[in-house]
mmCIF file of all heavy atoms in Angstrom:
data_model
loop_
_atom_site.group_PDB
_atom_site.id
_atom_site.type_symbol
_atom_site.label_atom_id
_atom_site.label_comp_id
_atom_site.label_asym_id
_atom_site.label_seq_id
_atom_site.Cartn_x
_atom_site.Cartn_y
_atom_site.Cartn_z
ATOM 1 N N MET A 1 26.356 -7.950 -25.589
ATOM 2 C CA MET A 1 25.641 -8.645 -24.539
ATOM 3 C C MET A 1 24.195 -8.172 -24.532
ATOM 4 O O MET A 1 23.927 -6.986 -24.450
ATOM 5 C CB MET A 1 26.344 -8.370 -23.211
ATOM 6 C CG MET A 1 25.530 -8.690 -21.980
ATOM 7 S SD MET A 1 25.010 -10.357 -21.891
ATOM 8 C CE MET A 1 25.960 -11.083 -20.684
ATOM 9 N N GLU A 2 23.303 -9.114 -24.632
ATOM 10 C CA GLU A 2 21.876 -8.790 -24.628
ATOM 11 C C GLU A 2 21.269 -9.136 -23.272
ATOM 12 O O GLU A 2 21.555 -10.188 -22.696
ATOM 13 C CB GLU A 2 21.164 -9.576 -25.722
ATOM 14 C CG GLU A 2 19.726 -9.152 -25.904
ATOM 15 C CD GLU A 2 19.072 -9.844 -27.085
ATOM 16 O OE1 GLU A 2 19.792 -10.167 -28.043
ATOM 17 O OE2 GLU A 2 17.862 -10.057 -27.027
ATOM 18 N N TRP A 3 20.453 -8.246 -22.753
ATOM 19 C CA TRP A 3 19.810 -8.450 -21.456
ATOM 20 C C TRP A 3 18.547 -9.294 -21.634
ATOM 21 O O TRP A 3 17.431 -8.783 -21.653
ATOM 22 C CB TRP A 3 19.456 -7.103 -20.835
ATOM 23 C CG TRP A 3 20.656 -6.371 -20.325
ATOM 24 C CD1 TRP A 3 21.669 -5.865 -21.068
ATOM 25 C CD2 TRP A 3 20.975 -6.103 -18.976
ATOM 26 N NE1 TRP A 3 22.604 -5.278 -20.261
ATOM 27 C CE2 TRP A 3 22.202 -5.404 -18.963
ATOM 28 C CE3 TRP A 3 20.346 -6.357 -17.762
ATOM 29 C CZ2 TRP A 3 22.803 -4.989 -17.793
ATOM 30 C CZ3 TRP A 3 20.952 -5.924 -16.605
ATOM 31 C CH2 TRP A 3 22.166 -5.261 -16.631
ATOM 32 N N THR A 4 18.736 -10.583 -21.754
ATOM 33 C CA THR A 4 17.610 -11.497 -21.915
ATOM 34 C C THR A 4 16.986 -11.795 -20.553
ATOM 35 O O THR A 4 17.581 -11.548 -19.505
ATOM 36 C CB THR A 4 18.078 -12.820 -22.547
ATOM 37 O OG1 THR A 4 18.999 -13.451 -21.639
ATOM 38 C CG2 THR A 4 18.758 -12.593 -23.894
ATOM 39 N N ASP A 5 15.784 -12.351 -20.589
ATOM 40 C CA ASP A 5 15.128 -12.747 -19.343
ATOM 41 C C ASP A 5 15.983 -13.765 -18.589
ATOM 42 O O ASP A 5 16.077 -13.717 -17.364
ATOM 43 C CB ASP A 5 13.748 -13.333 -19.619
ATOM 44 C CG ASP A 5 12.739 -12.284 -20.063
ATOM 45 O OD1 ASP A 5 12.993 -11.074 -19.848
ATOM 46 O OD2 ASP A 5 11.705 -12.667 -20.630
ATOM 47 N N GLU A 6 16.611 -14.659 -19.327
ATOM 48 C CA GLU A 6 17.466 -15.676 -18.698
ATOM 49 C C GLU A 6 18.673 -15.032 -18.010
ATOM 50 O O GLU A 6 19.035 -15.396 -16.889
ATOM 51 C CB GLU A 6 17.947 -16.677 -19.749
ATOM 52 C CG GLU A 6 18.834 -17.771 -19.181
ATOM 53 C CD GLU A 6 19.346 -18.721 -20.251
ATOM 54 O OE1 GLU A 6 19.037 -18.542 -21.441
ATOM 55 O OE2 GLU A 6 20.088 -19.641 -19.868
ATOM 56 N N PHE A 7 19.286 -14.057 -18.670
ATOM 57 C CA PHE A 7 20.431 -13.353 -18.098
ATOM 58 C C PHE A 7 20.038 -12.637 -16.816
ATOM 59 O O PHE A 7 20.731 -12.717 -15.793
ATOM 60 C CB PHE A 7 20.991 -12.358 -19.122
ATOM 61 C CG PHE A 7 22.106 -11.500 -18.607
ATOM 62 C CD1 PHE A 7 23.378 -12.017 -18.410
ATOM 63 C CD2 PHE A 7 21.880 -10.159 -18.315
ATOM 64 C CE1 PHE A 7 24.404 -11.215 -17.926
ATOM 65 C CE2 PHE A 7 22.911 -9.355 -17.844
ATOM 66 C CZ PHE A 7 24.177 -9.889 -17.647
ATOM 67 N N ILE A 8 18.915 -11.934 -16.840
ATOM 68 C CA ILE A 8 18.440 -11.189 -15.673
ATOM 69 C C ILE A 8 18.086 -12.139 -14.534
ATOM 70 O O ILE A 8 18.472 -11.915 -13.382
ATOM 71 C CB ILE A 8 17.246 -10.296 -16.052
ATOM 72 C CG1 ILE A 8 17.710 -9.188 -17.005
ATOM 73 C CG2 ILE A 8 16.579 -9.705 -14.803
ATOM 74 C CD1 ILE A 8 16.584 -8.418 -17.656
ATOM 75 N N ALA A 9 17.380 -13.221 -14.837
ATOM 76 C CA ALA A 9 17.000 -14.192 -13.808
ATOM 77 C C ALA A 9 18.231 -14.827 -13.174
ATOM 78 O O ALA A 9 18.300 -15.000 -11.947
ATOM 79 C CB ALA A 9 16.089 -15.267 -14.400
ATOM 80 N N SER A 10 19.214 -15.144 -13.989
ATOM 81 C CA SER A 10 20.451 -15.732 -13.473
ATOM 82 C C SER A 10 21.176 -14.744 -12.566
ATOM 83 O O SER A 10 21.659 -15.111 -11.490
ATOM 84 C CB SER A 10 21.355 -16.148 -14.637
ATOM 85 O OG SER A 10 22.582 -16.643 -14.155
ATOM 86 N N GLY A 11 21.245 -13.485 -12.993
ATOM 87 C CA GLY A 11 21.881 -12.456 -12.180
ATOM 88 C C GLY A 11 21.174 -12.264 -10.847
ATOM 89 O O GLY A 11 21.821 -12.135 -9.806
ATOM 90 N N GLN A 12 19.851 -12.256 -10.871
ATOM 91 C CA GLN A 12 19.087 -12.106 -9.635
ATOM 92 C C GLN A 12 19.334 -13.283 -8.699
ATOM 93 O O GLN A 12 19.498 -13.111 -7.491
ATOM 94 C CB GLN A 12 17.595 -11.981 -9.941
ATOM 95 C CG GLN A 12 17.236 -10.667 -10.572
ATOM 96 C CD GLN A 12 15.785 -10.617 -11.025
ATOM 97 O OE1 GLN A 12 15.183 -11.639 -11.356
ATOM 98 N NE2 GLN A 12 15.230 -9.425 -11.057
ATOM 99 N N HIS A 13 19.378 -14.478 -9.257
ATOM 100 C CA HIS A 13 19.632 -15.680 -8.466
ATOM 101 C C HIS A 13 21.014 -15.609 -7.821
ATOM 102 O O HIS A 13 21.172 -15.873 -6.620
ATOM 103 C CB HIS A 13 19.510 -16.925 -9.352
ATOM 104 C CG HIS A 13 19.867 -18.190 -8.653
ATOM 105 N ND1 HIS A 13 19.040 -18.786 -7.735
ATOM 106 C CD2 HIS A 13 20.981 -18.953 -8.716
ATOM 107 C CE1 HIS A 13 19.627 -19.865 -7.263
ATOM 108 N NE2 HIS A 13 20.808 -19.997 -7.850
ATOM 109 N N GLU A 14 22.027 -15.247 -8.605
ATOM 110 C CA GLU A 14 23.398 -15.159 -8.089
ATOM 111 C C GLU A 14 23.517 -14.081 -7.016
ATOM 112 O O GLU A 14 24.173 -14.276 -5.990
ATOM 113 C CB GLU A 14 24.381 -14.876 -9.227
ATOM 114 C CG GLU A 14 24.517 -16.011 -10.222
ATOM 115 C CD GLU A 14 25.147 -17.250 -9.615
ATOM 116 O OE1 GLU A 14 26.061 -17.124 -8.770
ATOM 117 O OE2 GLU A 14 24.728 -18.350 -9.985
ATOM 118 N N LEU A 15 22.898 -12.934 -7.243
ATOM 119 C CA LEU A 15 22.959 -11.839 -6.281
ATOM 120 C C LEU A 15 22.264 -12.212 -4.973
ATOM 121 O O LEU A 15 22.792 -11.954 -3.885
ATOM 122 C CB LEU A 15 22.327 -10.573 -6.878
ATOM 123 C CG LEU A 15 22.386 -9.326 -6.030
ATOM 124 C CD1 LEU A 15 23.834 -8.967 -5.686
ATOM 125 C CD2 LEU A 15 21.711 -8.181 -6.750
ATOM 126 N N THR A 16 21.110 -12.839 -5.063
ATOM 127 C CA THR A 16 20.389 -13.278 -3.868
ATOM 128 C C THR A 16 21.226 -14.270 -3.072
ATOM 129 O O THR A 16 21.306 -14.175 -1.837
ATOM 130 C CB THR A 16 19.034 -13.901 -4.259
ATOM 131 O OG1 THR A 16 18.251 -12.917 -4.930
ATOM 132 C CG2 THR A 16 18.276 -14.388 -3.041
ATOM 133 N N ALA A 17 21.862 -15.203 -3.761
ATOM 134 C CA ALA A 17 22.712 -16.186 -3.083
ATOM 135 C C ALA A 17 23.891 -15.508 -2.397
ATOM 136 O O ALA A 17 24.245 -15.850 -1.262
ATOM 137 C CB ALA A 17 23.195 -17.241 -4.077
ATOM 138 N N MET A 18 24.495 -14.525 -3.061
ATOM 139 C CA MET A 18 25.636 -13.824 -2.488
ATOM 140 C C MET A 18 25.222 -13.067 -1.214
ATOM 141 O O MET A 18 25.904 -13.133 -0.190
ATOM 142 C CB MET A 18 26.224 -12.845 -3.515
ATOM 143 C CG MET A 18 27.438 -12.100 -3.040
ATOM 144 S SD MET A 18 28.247 -11.128 -4.331
ATOM 145 C CE MET A 18 26.965 -9.990 -4.788
ATOM 146 N N VAL A 19 24.103 -12.374 -1.277
ATOM 147 C CA VAL A 19 23.621 -11.624 -0.114
ATOM 148 C C VAL A 19 23.270 -12.581 1.026
ATOM 149 O O VAL A 19 23.595 -12.326 2.192
ATOM 150 C CB VAL A 19 22.429 -10.726 -0.499
ATOM 151 C CG1 VAL A 19 21.739 -10.161 0.737
ATOM 152 C CG2 VAL A 19 22.894 -9.599 -1.415
ATOM 153 N N ASN A 20 22.637 -13.691 0.716
ATOM 154 C CA ASN A 20 22.316 -14.670 1.755
ATOM 155 C C ASN A 20 23.581 -15.215 2.407
ATOM 156 O O ASN A 20 23.605 -15.450 3.618
ATOM 157 C CB ASN A 20 21.467 -15.807 1.194
ATOM 158 C CG ASN A 20 20.037 -15.394 0.944
ATOM 159 O OD1 ASN A 20 19.533 -14.451 1.566
ATOM 160 N ND2 ASN A 20 19.362 -16.076 0.039
ATOM 161 N N ASP A 21 24.631 -15.408 1.624
ATOM 162 C CA ASP A 21 25.920 -15.838 2.179
ATOM 163 C C ASP A 21 26.472 -14.797 3.140
ATOM 164 O O ASP A 21 26.985 -15.142 4.207
ATOM 165 C CB ASP A 21 26.941 -16.101 1.071
ATOM 166 C CG ASP A 21 26.684 -17.392 0.315
ATOM 167 O OD1 ASP A 21 25.861 -18.217 0.767
ATOM 168 O OD2 ASP A 21 27.307 -17.582 -0.753
ATOM 169 N N TRP A 22 26.411 -13.512 2.767
ATOM 170 C CA TRP A 22 26.892 -12.448 3.656
ATOM 171 C C TRP A 22 26.122 -12.479 4.973
ATOM 172 O O TRP A 22 26.700 -12.343 6.040
ATOM 173 C CB TRP A 22 26.706 -11.071 3.027
ATOM 174 C CG TRP A 22 27.559 -10.769 1.860
ATOM 175 C CD1 TRP A 22 28.697 -11.417 1.463
ATOM 176 C CD2 TRP A 22 27.355 -9.723 0.919
ATOM 177 N NE1 TRP A 22 29.200 -10.846 0.330
ATOM 178 C CE2 TRP A 22 28.394 -9.793 -0.026
ATOM 179 C CE3 TRP A 22 26.390 -8.742 0.772
ATOM 180 C CZ2 TRP A 22 28.497 -8.911 -1.086
ATOM 181 C CZ3 TRP A 22 26.488 -7.863 -0.281
ATOM 182 C CH2 TRP A 22 27.531 -7.949 -1.194
ATOM 183 N N LYS A 23 24.812 -12.637 4.865
ATOM 184 C CA LYS A 23 23.984 -12.653 6.067
ATOM 185 C C LYS A 23 24.375 -13.825 6.966
ATOM 186 O O LYS A 23 24.485 -13.676 8.184
ATOM 187 C CB LYS A 23 22.503 -12.722 5.696
ATOM 188 C CG LYS A 23 21.973 -11.439 5.112
ATOM 189 C CD LYS A 23 20.502 -11.591 4.755
ATOM 190 C CE LYS A 23 19.938 -10.290 4.240
ATOM 191 N NZ LYS A 23 18.500 -10.412 3.965
ATOM 192 N N TYR A 24 24.582 -14.978 6.361
ATOM 193 C CA TYR A 24 24.924 -16.170 7.136
ATOM 194 C C TYR A 24 26.344 -16.081 7.691
ATOM 195 O O TYR A 24 26.572 -16.320 8.876
ATOM 196 C CB TYR A 24 24.779 -17.411 6.253
ATOM 197 C CG TYR A 24 25.133 -18.695 6.962
ATOM 198 C CD1 TYR A 24 24.215 -19.304 7.822
ATOM 199 C CD2 TYR A 24 26.386 -19.275 6.806
ATOM 200 C CE1 TYR A 24 24.539 -20.473 8.490
ATOM 201 C CE2 TYR A 24 26.716 -20.446 7.472
ATOM 202 C CZ TYR A 24 25.793 -21.037 8.315
ATOM 203 O OH TYR A 24 26.127 -22.184 8.981
ATOM 204 N N ASP A 25 27.299 -15.736 6.839
ATOM 205 C CA ASP A 25 28.709 -15.741 7.239
ATOM 206 C C ASP A 25 29.064 -14.627 8.215
ATOM 207 O O ASP A 25 29.898 -14.812 9.099
ATOM 208 C CB ASP A 25 29.627 -15.624 6.019
ATOM 209 C CG ASP A 25 29.590 -16.849 5.122
ATOM 210 O OD1 ASP A 25 29.117 -17.920 5.572
ATOM 211 O OD2 ASP A 25 30.039 -16.746 3.957
ATOM 212 N N TYR A 26 28.467 -13.450 8.035
ATOM 213 C CA TYR A 26 28.878 -12.279 8.811
ATOM 214 C C TYR A 26 27.791 -11.716 9.713
ATOM 215 O O TYR A 26 28.022 -10.729 10.417
ATOM 216 C CB TYR A 26 29.370 -11.170 7.868
ATOM 217 C CG TYR A 26 30.462 -11.650 6.951
ATOM 218 C CD1 TYR A 26 30.217 -11.851 5.600
ATOM 219 C CD2 TYR A 26 31.736 -11.912 7.444
ATOM 220 C CE1 TYR A 26 31.227 -12.303 4.752
ATOM 221 C CE2 TYR A 26 32.738 -12.372 6.608
ATOM 222 C CZ TYR A 26 32.473 -12.564 5.264
ATOM 223 O OH TYR A 26 33.459 -13.021 4.437
ATOM 224 N N GLY A 27 26.606 -12.292 9.673
ATOM 225 C CA GLY A 27 25.514 -11.769 10.479
ATOM 226 C C GLY A 27 25.036 -10.409 10.004
ATOM 227 O O GLY A 27 24.479 -9.640 10.774
ATOM 228 N N ALA A 28 25.283 -10.109 8.728
ATOM 229 C CA ALA A 28 24.906 -8.808 8.170
ATOM 230 C C ALA A 28 23.383 -8.699 8.060
ATOM 231 O O ALA A 28 22.697 -9.676 7.785
ATOM 232 C CB ALA A 28 25.539 -8.630 6.794
ATOM 233 N N ASP A 29 22.894 -7.493 8.270
ATOM 234 C CA ASP A 29 21.468 -7.255 8.069
ATOM 235 C C ASP A 29 21.253 -6.671 6.667
ATOM 236 O O ASP A 29 22.210 -6.453 5.926
ATOM 237 C CB ASP A 29 20.901 -6.335 9.150
ATOM 238 C CG ASP A 29 21.545 -4.963 9.195
ATOM 239 O OD1 ASP A 29 22.334 -4.616 8.276
ATOM 240 O OD2 ASP A 29 21.262 -4.209 10.142
ATOM 241 N N ASP A 30 20.006 -6.438 6.323
ATOM 242 C CA ASP A 30 19.694 -5.928 4.981
ATOM 243 C C ASP A 30 20.390 -4.599 4.703
ATOM 244 O O ASP A 30 20.897 -4.368 3.613
ATOM 245 C CB ASP A 30 18.182 -5.765 4.798
ATOM 246 C CG ASP A 30 17.462 -7.087 4.626
ATOM 247 O OD1 ASP A 30 18.112 -8.092 4.265
ATOM 248 O OD2 ASP A 30 16.239 -7.120 4.846
ATOM 249 N N ARG A 31 20.440 -3.723 5.694
ATOM 250 C CA ARG A 31 21.060 -2.402 5.507
ATOM 251 C C ARG A 31 22.551 -2.534 5.191
ATOM 252 O O ARG A 31 23.073 -1.849 4.315
ATOM 253 C CB ARG A 31 20.827 -1.552 6.746
ATOM 254 C CG ARG A 31 21.264 -0.125 6.586
ATOM 255 C CD ARG A 31 20.832 0.688 7.820
ATOM 256 N NE ARG A 31 21.323 2.036 7.753
ATOM 257 C CZ ARG A 31 20.686 3.051 7.202
ATOM 258 N NH1 ARG A 31 19.501 2.851 6.667
ATOM 259 N NH2 ARG A 31 21.213 4.253 7.183
ATOM 260 N N ALA A 32 23.240 -3.416 5.888
ATOM 261 C CA ALA A 32 24.667 -3.631 5.627
ATOM 262 C C ALA A 32 24.878 -4.210 4.233
ATOM 263 O O ALA A 32 25.821 -3.838 3.526
ATOM 264 C CB ALA A 32 25.269 -4.546 6.686
ATOM 265 N N CYS A 33 24.007 -5.110 3.818
ATOM 266 C CA CYS A 33 24.119 -5.703 2.484
ATOM 267 C C CYS A 33 23.871 -4.654 1.403
ATOM 268 O O CYS A 33 24.574 -4.630 0.389
ATOM 269 C CB CYS A 33 23.151 -6.871 2.344
ATOM 270 S SG CYS A 33 23.586 -8.293 3.377
ATOM 271 N N ILE A 34 22.901 -3.790 1.622
ATOM 272 C CA ILE A 34 22.627 -2.718 0.665
ATOM 273 C C ILE A 34 23.832 -1.798 0.545
ATOM 274 O O ILE A 34 24.249 -1.425 -0.559
ATOM 275 C CB ILE A 34 21.363 -1.930 1.075
ATOM 276 C CG1 ILE A 34 20.121 -2.788 0.892
ATOM 277 C CG2 ILE A 34 21.243 -0.625 0.285
ATOM 278 C CD1 ILE A 34 18.880 -2.245 1.569
ATOM 279 N N ALA A 35 24.423 -1.445 1.680
ATOM 280 C CA ALA A 35 25.605 -0.579 1.666
ATOM 281 C C ALA A 35 26.739 -1.240 0.887
ATOM 282 O O ALA A 35 27.426 -0.578 0.100
ATOM 283 C CB ALA A 35 26.040 -0.256 3.085
ATOM 284 N N MET A 36 26.946 -2.529 1.078
ATOM 285 C CA MET A 36 28.010 -3.235 0.370
ATOM 286 C C MET A 36 27.737 -3.252 -1.130
ATOM 287 O O MET A 36 28.640 -3.019 -1.942
ATOM 288 C CB MET A 36 28.143 -4.669 0.889
ATOM 289 C CG MET A 36 29.197 -5.470 0.153
ATOM 290 S SD MET A 36 30.867 -4.811 0.277
ATOM 291 C CE MET A 36 31.357 -5.476 1.834
ATOM 292 N N LEU A 37 26.504 -3.503 -1.525
ATOM 293 C CA LEU A 37 26.165 -3.525 -2.952
ATOM 294 C C LEU A 37 26.357 -2.145 -3.583
ATOM 295 O O LEU A 37 26.889 -2.032 -4.693
ATOM 296 C CB LEU A 37 24.729 -4.022 -3.150
ATOM 297 C CG LEU A 37 24.509 -5.491 -2.820
ATOM 298 C CD1 LEU A 37 23.023 -5.801 -2.807
ATOM 299 C CD2 LEU A 37 25.255 -6.395 -3.780
ATOM 300 N N LEU A 38 25.945 -1.096 -2.882
ATOM 301 C CA LEU A 38 26.127 0.254 -3.410
ATOM 302 C C LEU A 38 27.608 0.617 -3.494
ATOM 303 O O LEU A 38 28.043 1.272 -4.438
ATOM 304 C CB LEU A 38 25.363 1.269 -2.563
ATOM 305 C CG LEU A 38 23.840 1.164 -2.652
ATOM 306 C CD1 LEU A 38 23.182 2.094 -1.649
ATOM 307 C CD2 LEU A 38 23.355 1.438 -4.054
ATOM 308 N N TRP A 39 28.399 0.182 -2.519
ATOM 309 C CA TRP A 39 29.845 0.401 -2.562
ATOM 310 C C TRP A 39 30.442 -0.285 -3.790
ATOM 311 O O TRP A 39 31.288 0.278 -4.476
ATOM 312 C CB TRP A 39 30.484 -0.129 -1.274
ATOM 313 C CG TRP A 39 31.967 -0.040 -1.281
ATOM 314 C CD1 TRP A 39 32.726 1.067 -0.993
ATOM 315 C CD2 TRP A 39 32.892 -1.073 -1.606
ATOM 316 N NE1 TRP A 39 34.067 0.765 -1.113
ATOM 317 C CE2 TRP A 39 34.190 -0.549 -1.489
ATOM 318 C CE3 TRP A 39 32.747 -2.407 -1.976
ATOM 319 C CZ2 TRP A 39 35.323 -1.306 -1.734
ATOM 320 C CZ3 TRP A 39 33.881 -3.158 -2.218
ATOM 321 C CH2 TRP A 39 35.147 -2.602 -2.101
ATOM 322 N N MET A 40 29.982 -1.498 -4.081
ATOM 323 C CA MET A 40 30.472 -2.229 -5.261
ATOM 324 C C MET A 40 30.133 -1.468 -6.544
ATOM 325 O O MET A 40 30.953 -1.401 -7.462
ATOM 326 C CB MET A 40 29.883 -3.636 -5.311
ATOM 327 C CG MET A 40 30.423 -4.558 -4.272
ATOM 328 S SD MET A 40 29.619 -6.165 -4.440
ATOM 329 C CE MET A 40 30.502 -7.102 -3.231
ATOM 330 N N VAL A 41 28.931 -0.915 -6.607
ATOM 331 C CA VAL A 41 28.534 -0.121 -7.775
ATOM 332 C C VAL A 41 29.496 1.054 -7.946
ATOM 333 O O VAL A 41 29.977 1.329 -9.055
ATOM 334 C CB VAL A 41 27.075 0.381 -7.651
ATOM 335 C CG1 VAL A 41 26.767 1.432 -8.705
ATOM 336 C CG2 VAL A 41 26.103 -0.772 -7.743
ATOM 337 N N LEU A 42 29.796 1.736 -6.856
ATOM 338 C CA LEU A 42 30.701 2.884 -6.939
ATOM 339 C C LEU A 42 32.122 2.472 -7.327
ATOM 340 O O LEU A 42 32.817 3.218 -8.022
ATOM 341 C CB LEU A 42 30.721 3.644 -5.614
ATOM 342 C CG LEU A 42 29.455 4.429 -5.313
ATOM 343 C CD1 LEU A 42 29.506 5.013 -3.905
ATOM 344 C CD2 LEU A 42 29.226 5.520 -6.343
ATOM 345 N N LYS A 43 32.568 1.302 -6.892
ATOM 346 C CA LYS A 43 33.896 0.823 -7.279
ATOM 347 C C LYS A 43 33.936 0.518 -8.778
ATOM 348 O O LYS A 43 34.938 0.764 -9.442
ATOM 349 C CB LYS A 43 34.283 -0.429 -6.482
ATOM 350 C CG LYS A 43 34.542 -0.181 -5.022
ATOM 351 C CD LYS A 43 35.648 0.806 -4.772
ATOM 352 C CE LYS A 43 37.002 0.148 -4.840
ATOM 353 N NZ LYS A 43 38.109 1.047 -4.511
ATOM 354 N N LEU A 44 32.838 -0.032 -9.299
ATOM 355 C CA LEU A 44 32.767 -0.353 -10.718
ATOM 356 C C LEU A 44 32.520 0.870 -11.581
ATOM 357 O O LEU A 44 32.970 0.945 -12.720
ATOM 358 C CB LEU A 44 31.663 -1.388 -10.972
ATOM 359 C CG LEU A 44 31.926 -2.779 -10.412
ATOM 360 C CD1 LEU A 44 30.660 -3.632 -10.517
ATOM 361 C CD2 LEU A 44 33.080 -3.451 -11.132
ATOM 362 N N ASN A 45 31.783 1.832 -11.028
ATOM 363 C CA ASN A 45 31.447 3.037 -11.779
ATOM 364 C C ASN A 45 31.489 4.245 -10.843
ATOM 365 O O ASN A 45 30.460 4.652 -10.296
ATOM 366 C CB ASN A 45 30.057 2.904 -12.415
ATOM 367 C CG ASN A 45 29.687 4.100 -13.238
ATOM 368 O OD1 ASN A 45 30.473 5.026 -13.417
ATOM 369 N ND2 ASN A 45 28.461 4.114 -13.734
ATOM 370 N N PRO A 46 32.681 4.817 -10.653
ATOM 371 C CA PRO A 46 32.819 5.953 -9.725
ATOM 372 C C PRO A 46 31.955 7.159 -10.090
ATOM 373 O O PRO A 46 31.693 8.006 -9.249
ATOM 374 C CB PRO A 46 34.309 6.307 -9.815
ATOM 375 C CG PRO A 46 34.973 5.085 -10.336
ATOM 376 C CD PRO A 46 33.960 4.411 -11.212
ATOM 377 N N GLU A 47 31.506 7.239 -11.321
ATOM 378 C CA GLU A 47 30.669 8.360 -11.770
ATOM 379 C C GLU A 47 29.189 8.144 -11.473
ATOM 380 O O GLU A 47 28.370 9.025 -11.734
ATOM 381 C CB GLU A 47 30.854 8.575 -13.277
ATOM 382 C CG GLU A 47 32.295 8.835 -13.694
ATOM 383 C CD GLU A 47 32.873 10.092 -13.063
ATOM 384 O OE1 GLU A 47 32.152 11.101 -12.998
ATOM 385 O OE2 GLU A 47 34.030 10.036 -12.613
ATOM 386 N N ALA A 48 28.832 6.985 -10.930
ATOM 387 C CA ALA A 48 27.419 6.690 -10.659
ATOM 388 C C ALA A 48 26.859 7.691 -9.661
ATOM 389 O O ALA A 48 27.532 8.076 -8.705
ATOM 390 C CB ALA A 48 27.284 5.268 -10.119
ATOM 391 N N GLU A 49 25.654 8.122 -9.900
ATOM 392 C CA GLU A 49 24.978 9.040 -8.997
ATOM 393 C C GLU A 49 24.056 8.231 -8.098
ATOM 394 O O GLU A 49 23.021 7.745 -8.528
ATOM 395 C CB GLU A 49 24.186 10.072 -9.776
ATOM 396 C CG GLU A 49 25.078 11.020 -10.576
ATOM 397 C CD GLU A 49 24.303 12.100 -11.282
ATOM 398 O OE1 GLU A 49 23.170 12.435 -10.848
ATOM 399 O OE2 GLU A 49 24.826 12.609 -12.293
ATOM 400 N N ILE A 50 24.465 8.068 -6.839
ATOM 401 C CA ILE A 50 23.703 7.279 -5.880
ATOM 402 C C ILE A 50 23.283 8.187 -4.751
ATOM 403 O O ILE A 50 24.097 8.893 -4.164
ATOM 404 C CB ILE A 50 24.545 6.102 -5.354
ATOM 405 C CG1 ILE A 50 24.887 5.152 -6.504
ATOM 406 C CG2 ILE A 50 23.791 5.359 -4.246
ATOM 407 C CD1 ILE A 50 25.804 4.007 -6.119
ATOM 408 N N ASP A 51 22.008 8.145 -4.417
ATOM 409 C CA ASP A 51 21.465 8.960 -3.340
ATOM 410 C C ASP A 51 22.075 8.503 -2.010
ATOM 411 O O ASP A 51 21.900 7.342 -1.619
ATOM 412 C CB ASP A 51 19.952 8.796 -3.322
ATOM 413 C CG ASP A 51 19.261 9.625 -2.249
ATOM 414 O OD1 ASP A 51 19.951 10.259 -1.418
ATOM 415 O OD2 ASP A 51 18.024 9.644 -2.246
ATOM 416 N N PRO A 52 22.791 9.382 -1.307
ATOM 417 C CA PRO A 52 23.417 9.000 -0.028
ATOM 418 C C PRO A 52 22.406 8.492 1.010
ATOM 419 O O PRO A 52 22.767 7.758 1.907
ATOM 420 C CB PRO A 52 24.086 10.277 0.466
ATOM 421 C CG PRO A 52 24.221 11.138 -0.747
ATOM 422 C CD PRO A 52 23.109 10.757 -1.665
ATOM 423 N N ALA A 53 21.162 8.870 0.858
ATOM 424 C CA ALA A 53 20.143 8.402 1.801
ATOM 425 C C ALA A 53 19.922 6.896 1.696
ATOM 426 O O ALA A 53 19.349 6.293 2.602
ATOM 427 C CB ALA A 53 18.830 9.135 1.540
ATOM 428 N N LEU A 54 20.378 6.283 0.610
ATOM 429 C CA LEU A 54 20.230 4.852 0.454
ATOM 430 C C LEU A 54 21.173 4.061 1.356
ATOM 431 O O LEU A 54 20.963 2.887 1.597
ATOM 432 C CB LEU A 54 20.448 4.437 -1.003
ATOM 433 C CG LEU A 54 19.442 4.976 -2.011
ATOM 434 C CD1 LEU A 54 19.873 4.625 -3.425
ATOM 435 C CD2 LEU A 54 18.062 4.426 -1.726
ATOM 436 N N PHE A 55 22.253 4.710 1.814
ATOM 437 C CA PHE A 55 23.221 4.002 2.646
ATOM 438 C C PHE A 55 22.693 3.783 4.013
ATOM 439 O O PHE A 55 22.524 4.330 4.882
ATOM 440 C CB PHE A 55 24.554 4.776 2.714
ATOM 441 C CG PHE A 55 25.369 4.582 1.465
ATOM 442 C CD1 PHE A 55 25.263 5.470 0.426
ATOM 443 C CD2 PHE A 55 26.224 3.523 1.345
ATOM 444 C CE1 PHE A 55 26.017 5.317 -0.718
ATOM 445 C CE2 PHE A 55 26.984 3.348 0.202
ATOM 446 C CZ PHE A 55 26.875 4.251 -0.836
#
């Protein structure tokens, strides 16, 4: 898998749409969305080093 500009742009578009859906459906704010995204990263990669201050 190559990280092309098209791949990155598509991923950004999909991620933005997903976060906007969370905000609309659940009334989530940016902080809650960030926490959910970081939780997903940890579920996919439990060894990831994430600064707890980001939560």
